[in-house]
């Protein structure tokens, strides 16, 4: 299977963009930058649009999801859009009872903890993904030469929510399950890998120029546990898009010790969070992959001279990598002044 001839990566729109060049280790015309969670909470235009609409409903309204994805590109002049969605959307599309509770996060009606529950999980159907394809097509039509990044939750993070039934600090439930019930764990992770993989593939086929797998909770694992119980399934999720030939990014938080294992599932770029110096990450990862990161989100609220010095350091450190996409070491905090983000983009583009 290949992409259609009018896909932005094939018809000349995005394959020479700064983002795609940096992700694939070529030399871009300028330092590309985008921000995780740039679409959403920090923008007044987002708050206005979302008034009275639940998070998951806004993700599944193609016109709204598209508009939210475009807002930061218009405002900040970033080098990529990141598709506005949520990692539990595949669960909702499959018919699993899940909602995003304000101030809490994803909450499941019934946590998945037994072999019977795993066996009874409904599949994500091709038809259920139609709102996602529609939103991507609308977005790509507006973006022109700016690439769209598709995204999905990595199987471990999705499974962790499914087992705990809600956000958790230490993820004891999934960590116990992987040891005490390896067959149940295997079934759950295969389900999550397929759900995330199909979700990601729908975005790429509809026009996304790159794909990011996002492992929010992998940092709670040791390297041996990650390699044995998690990496094979992240690999499975990405297998759904490998044949499409778009660059792939793998990001996790608290994953300084896991970086080489995250690289080894076969990606073009590894995202680096703010807990590890970028130089150290580049030394560990070597020259076969590009890096993405790792401005500390906390400094977005610091005095400008402090933030500016930090951004310059990150850009300088990134020069040691095969390629570098400037980003935050995690998402944009909701309290961020949008004008500061625009100023950071301007600074990065001027360097």
């Amino acid at each position: 299977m290949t992409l259609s001839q009018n896909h932005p990566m094939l018809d000349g729109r995005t394959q020479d963009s700064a983002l795609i060049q940096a992700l694939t280790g070529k030399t871009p015309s300028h330092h590309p930058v985008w921000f995780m969670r740039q679409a959403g909470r920090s923008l007044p235009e987002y708050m206005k649009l979302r008034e009275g609409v639940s998070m998951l409903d806004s993700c599944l309204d193609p016109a709204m999801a598209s508009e939210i994805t475009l807002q930061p590109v218009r405002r900040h002049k970033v080098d990529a859009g990141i598709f506005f969605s949520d990692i539990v959307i595949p669960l909702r599309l499959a018919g699993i009872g899940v909602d995003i509770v304000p101030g809490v996060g994803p909450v499941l009606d019934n946590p998945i903890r037994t072999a019977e529950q795993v066996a009874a999980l409904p599949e994500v159907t091709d038809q259920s993904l139609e709102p996602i394809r529609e939103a991507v097509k609308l977005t790509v039509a507006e973006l022109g030469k700016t690439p769209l990044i598709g995204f999905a939750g990595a199987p471990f993070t999705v499974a962790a929510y499914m087992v705990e039934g809600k956000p958790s600090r230490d993820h004891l439930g999934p960590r116990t399950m992987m040891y005490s019930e390896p067959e149940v764990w295997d079934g759950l992770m295969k389900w999550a890998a397929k759900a995330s993989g199909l979700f990601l593939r729908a975005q790429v086929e509809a026009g996304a120029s790159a794909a990011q797998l996002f492992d929010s909770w992998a940092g709670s694992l040791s390297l041996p546990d990650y390699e044995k119980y998690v990496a094979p399934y992240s690999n499975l999720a990405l297998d759904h898009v490998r044949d499409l030939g778009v660059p792939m990014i793998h990001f996790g938080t608290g994953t300084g010790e896991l970086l080489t294992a995250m690289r080894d599932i076969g990606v073009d770029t590894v995202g680096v969070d703010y807990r590890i110096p970028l130089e150290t990450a580049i030394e560990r990862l070597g020259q076969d992959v590009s890096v993405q990161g790792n401005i500390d989100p906390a400094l977005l609220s610091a005095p400008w001279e402090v933030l500016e010095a930090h951004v310059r350091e990150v850009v300088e450190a990134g020069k040691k990598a095969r390629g570098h996409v400037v980003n935050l070491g995690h998402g944009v905090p909701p309290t961020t002044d949008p004008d500061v983000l625009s100023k950071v983009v301007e600074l990065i583009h001027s360097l």
Side-chain angles (χ1 to χ4, degrees):
M1 170 71 193
T2 52
L3 300 172
S4 76
Q5 285 309 305
N6 55 5
H7 189 282
M9 280 291 276
L10 294 183
D11 68 9
R13 273 179 285 171
T14 60
Q15 71 262 57
D16 295 327
S17 63
L19 176 89
I20 301 298
Q21 298 278 307
L23 290 176
T24 52
K26 300 183 181 72
T27 307
S29 54
H30 60 271
H31 296 292
V33 53
W34 68 278
F35 303 113
M36 282 180 283
R37 295 209 183 119
Q38 64 188 13
R41 307 175 296 179
S42 59
L43 296 181
E45 56 267 42
Y46 164 80
M47 304 305 277
K48 191 169 175 229
L49 184 64
R50 272 262 338 261
E51 262 169 31
V53 184
S54 78
M55 174 66 184
L56 296 187
D57 286 347
S58 64
C59 294
L60 291 171
D61 175 331
M64 190 179 282
S66 174
E67 171 57 23
I68 293 169
T69 303
L70 293 163
Q71 284 174 345
V73 183
R74 277 191 217 114
R75 185 192 261 263
H76 304 312
K77 311 288 187 282
V78 281
D79 293 284
I82 176 79
F83 184 58
F84 176 74
S85 194
D86 190 275
I87 63 168
V88 297
I89 283 289
L91 278 65
R92 168 68 73 94
L93 294 176
I96 293 169
V98 62
D99 206 2
I100 306 277
V101 177
V104 181
V107 175
L108 270 76
D109 295 350
N110 300 297
I112 309 296
R113 292 173 185 165
T114 67
E116 293 73 28
Q117 285 177 302
V118 171
L121 283 169
E123 293 291 328
V124 177
T125 64
D126 203 46
Q127 198 182 353
S128 69
L129 290 159
E130 209 37 57
I132 305 304
R133 292 193 192 91
E134 184 58 29
V136 170
K137 283 174 186 158
L138 289 171
T139 308
V140 167
E142 294 291 320
L143 280 172
K145 293 187 172 182
T146 303
L148 177 69
I149 301 167
F151 108 108
F156 175 72
T157 292
V158 175
Y161 278 123
M162 292 173 79
V163 174
E164 297 281 6
K166 61 185 192 302
S168 142
R169 193 178 290 265
D170 46 25
H171 314 101
L172 288 176
R175 284 166 48 213
T176 302
M177 186 192 279
M178 60 175 69
Y179 275 97
S180 58
E181 299 179 276
E183 299 82 14
V184 181
W185 180 251
D186 176 65
L188 179 61
M189 287 291 276
K190 279 180 176 156
W191 185 93
K194 186 177 179 186
S196 282
L198 291 171
F199 179 54
L200 200 52
R201 187 177 182 96
Q203 296 168 58
V204 175
E205 285 183 341
S209 294
Q212 170 159 301
L213 200 64
F214 196 104
D215 215 344
S216 313
W217 306 131
S220 66
L221 300 167
S222 68
L223 179 59
D225 282 355
Y226 179 82
E227 289 178 328
K228 182 174 181 180
Y229 296 108
V230 175
Y233 304 98
S234 293
N235 193 9
L236 267 183
L238 288 176
D239 278 349
H240 285 84
V241 293
R242 285 191 206 281
D243 63 315
L244 299 178
V246 300
M248 297 184 292
I249 310 162
H250 197 187
F251 174 77
T253 52
T255 48
E257 296 303 316
L258 311 180
L259 288 174
T260 53
M262 292 174 73
R263 171 200 67 197
D264 290 348
I265 70 165
V267 291
D268 302 275
T269 297
V270 176
V272 180
D273 86 347
Y274 61 87
R275 296 172 179 87
I276 175 173
L278 198 54
E279 282 108 331
T280 308
I282 294 165
E283 276 166 24
R284 289 180 185 182
L285 287 164
Q287 293 298 313
D288 292 333
V289 286
S290 301
V291 295
Q292 177 176 280
N294 71 340
I295 297 166
D296 187 341
L299 296 197
L300 293 171
S301 298
W304 174 251
E305 58 275 15
V306 175
L307 176 58
E308 181 183 3
H310 175 57
V311 171
R312 286 177 181 272
E313 274 169 25
V314 168
V315 172
E316 192 53 42
K319 291 179 181 171
K320 296 185 176 71
R322 175 190 86 159
H324 179 212
V325 175
V326 189
N327 205 312
L328 301 177
H330 200 201
V332 175
T335 50
T336 305
D337 176 354
D339 292 344
V340 170
L341 285 179
S342 298
K343 206 170 165 186
V344 168
V345 173
E346 221 172 280
L347 168 64
I348 292 162
H349 285 166
S350 75
L351 294 175

